Amino acid sequence: MPVQFLSDADHARFNRFPKDVETDDLDRYFWLCDDDREEMQPLRGAHNQLGFGLQIGCLRYLGFFPDDLQQVPAVVVDYVAGQMQLSAEVLTLYSQGSSRQRQHQRQIQALLGYRRTTPLDLLSLEKWLLSRALEHDKPLLLFQMACDWLKQNQLIRIGTTRIEKIVATVRSRAQEETYALLKPLFTQTTCAALDQLLIVDAELERTRLSWLQRTPTDNNPKQILETLDKIIFLQKQGAQDWDLSQLNPNHINHLAKVGSRATNQSLQRSNEIRRYPLLLAFLKQSLYNFTDALIEMVNQRLWELYRQAKRNFEADRLRETRSQSEQLRN
């Protein structure tokens, strides 16, 4: 599993302000309360006061201190400066990266109840994130959830590269745990059948996987029969007897969805820890889907046949009535 899933653009995006900052967010995160003003009162110089006040809002809003306050959107700087009756231009005099700024950040941490992460905190994050990864496996979503967890626990967000590595580690562990939970189902016979799905079937002229990935689009007899063949095939594999209740339903759905889009080549390149759970969940879910589809298709087909028979009956009765009328007239 790749460790790096964030592009350079993603790293840059997560380390800066969003393009637009809503008015409600300005009022919620950048309004300076009495405690904030009291903390910055002893500071000398308008530039120090503005830099301090701005970083209070940044920590509340972002969960970390931005590297360059000059990149903070003008609407945010103006909002904070306006409360302090200062000119936003004095921010250019604020010494960034200096010992004074680091002292300001330590004061702000204490004021807002934030602290730096410890190894124990990161272990707690990994444990919490593993539970989320056992529900779904989207790396960007897990990344954002990790950022939110740090913020909710008032921990200053660590670098995006470190979070990226944590997410990759957790996703790998989630795959291993999923495989371990399902391992009793991976008998030699079942694994051989799953691998056979990726081999071109001479009769179908395609793999069984791609055959099963095709869903019915009509209720004509051909597709009804093909859907019935798929159900019979899945039943022969024993899909109806596979117990996946050890997994979170959301995780099962996610695995099945990935399996429904996976190519033969990608699955053949995957190791068995990833390949077998995907195929198992896909086949299990496919049995449910095809069964529901078959019932719906048959119902629609019967209804169409009934309406056609009713129209034919009405047409026959009308012709019979006309014939009788003509005979009476004659």
Side-chain angles (χ1 to χ4, degrees):
M1 178 172 292
V3 173
Q4 297 179 338
F5 56 85
L6 294 180
S7 65
D8 291 341
D10 290 328
H11 282 289
R13 176 167 57 89
F14 284 116
N15 281 307
R16 64 170 180 256
F17 272 77
K19 184 176 181 180
D20 298 311
V21 180
E22 301 292 335
T23 301
D24 289 346
D25 289 334
L26 289 173
D27 294 337
R28 179 180 179 183
Y29 296 105
F30 292 94
W31 177 258
L32 300 174
C33 63
D34 292 340
D35 290 341
D36 300 335
R37 293 174 180 273
E38 183 179 348
E39 188 72 21
M40 68 178 66
Q41 188 66 35
L43 300 177
R44 294 182 179 180
H47 59 287
N48 283 323
Q49 292 181 355
L50 180 56
F52 192 96
L54 191 58
Q55 288 183 103
I56 289 177
C58 287
L59 184 56
R60 287 187 182 128
Y61 183 59
L62 299 172
F64 63 92
F65 296 109
D67 293 332
D68 186 2
L69 291 181
Q70 304 302 327
Q71 300 301 317
V72 175
V75 65
V76 176
V77 179
D78 291 341
Y79 183 84
V80 175
Q83 296 176 64
M84 305 170 69
Q85 297 182 340
L86 299 173
S87 170
E89 295 178 357
V90 302
L91 184 63
T92 58
L93 303 176
Y94 188 70
S95 300
Q96 299 190 85
S98 64
S99 59
R100 184 183 298 275
Q101 185 188 26
R102 289 193 291 274
Q103 173 59 34
H104 289 174
Q105 291 177 352
R106 286 192 290 270
Q107 287 180 247
I108 293 169
Q109 287 175 219
L111 174 67
L112 300 184
Y114 273 76
R115 60 183 176 83
R116 300 284 178 180
T117 56
T118 65
L120 188 60
D121 293 324
L122 297 182
L123 286 175
S124 297
L125 171 59
E126 288 187 15
K127 181 179 179 180
W128 179 84
L129 202 60
L130 177 60
S131 298
R132 309 288 82 74
L134 287 170
E135 297 176 8
H136 44 71
D137 191 40
K138 298 179 181 178
L140 283 176
L141 178 58
L142 292 172
F143 180 94
Q144 188 60 61
M145 294 177 75
C147 294
D148 293 341
W149 185 90
L150 291 169
K151 188 176 181 182
Q152 290 168 5
N153 286 275
Q154 295 186 294
L155 296 167
I156 295 179
R157 202 203 70 188
I158 55 179
T160 53
T161 300
R162 292 179 67 188
I163 299 177
E164 185 181 33
K165 290 180 179 178
I166 289 174
V167 169
T169 298
V170 165
R171 292 180 69 212
S172 180
R173 287 177 55 194
Q175 281 190 7
E176 293 171 357
E177 187 163 328
T178 298
Y179 180 82
L181 290 171
L182 298 179
K183 192 172 183 179
L185 298 177
F186 298 136
T187 63
Q188 185 175 359
T189 302
T190 300
C191 291
L194 293 176
D195 288 334
Q196 193 67 29
L197 294 173
L198 309 180
I199 299 175
V200 175
D201 185 283
E203 182 180 348
L204 296 174
E205 297 183 343
R206 60 166 57 94
T207 65
R208 286 284 179 178
L209 175 65
S210 63
W211 178 63
L212 290 168
Q213 287 174 334
R214 292 177 53 186
T215 56
T217 57
D218 200 355
N219 60 0
N220 58 62
K222 180 181 178 181
Q223 294 207 28
I224 289 177
L225 291 175
E226 185 177 13
T227 301
L228 183 59
D229 287 341
K230 292 177 179 179
I231 292 173
I232 294 172
F233 172 79
L234 291 169
Q235 289 176 337
K236 287 181 178 179
Q237 308 309 307
Q240 70 278 7
D241 298 322
W242 296 337
D243 182 9
L244 308 186
S245 61
Q246 311 93 313
L247 302 184
N248 184 289
N250 291 334
H251 191 40
I252 297 173
N253 291 335
H254 172 74
L255 292 173
K257 187 175 294 185
V258 174
S260 69
R261 299 192 301 261
T263 63
N264 301 322
Q265 293 79 8
S266 66
L267 289 174
Q268 287 171 344
R269 290 194 299 267
S270 301
N271 58 35
E272 63 182 26
I273 292 178
R274 172 175 171 77
R275 180 169 68 251
Y276 290 154
L278 284 177
L279 291 173
L280 202 75
F282 169 62
L283 296 190
K284 182 74 171 182
Q285 189 61 46
S286 294
L287 179 58
Y288 294 141
N289 293 344
F290 285 131
T291 301
D292 290 342
L294 180 64
I295 294 172
E296 181 67 20
M297 293 162 68
V298 170
N299 284 339
Q300 289 180 357
R301 187 64 180 168
L302 289 174
W303 176 243
E304 289 177 0
L305 292 173
Y306 167 76
R307 289 189 299 178
Q308 183 61 47
K310 185 177 181 181
R311 286 195 296 268
N312 292 340
F313 174 78
E314 294 293 340
D316 290 343
R317 187 172 65 174
L318 181 59
R319 283 194 297 269
E320 182 66 23
T321 301
R322 288 174 178 173
S323 175
Q324 291 178 358
S325 299
E326 291 176 357
Q327 290 177 4
L328 290 174
R329 285 197 297 270
N330 293 333

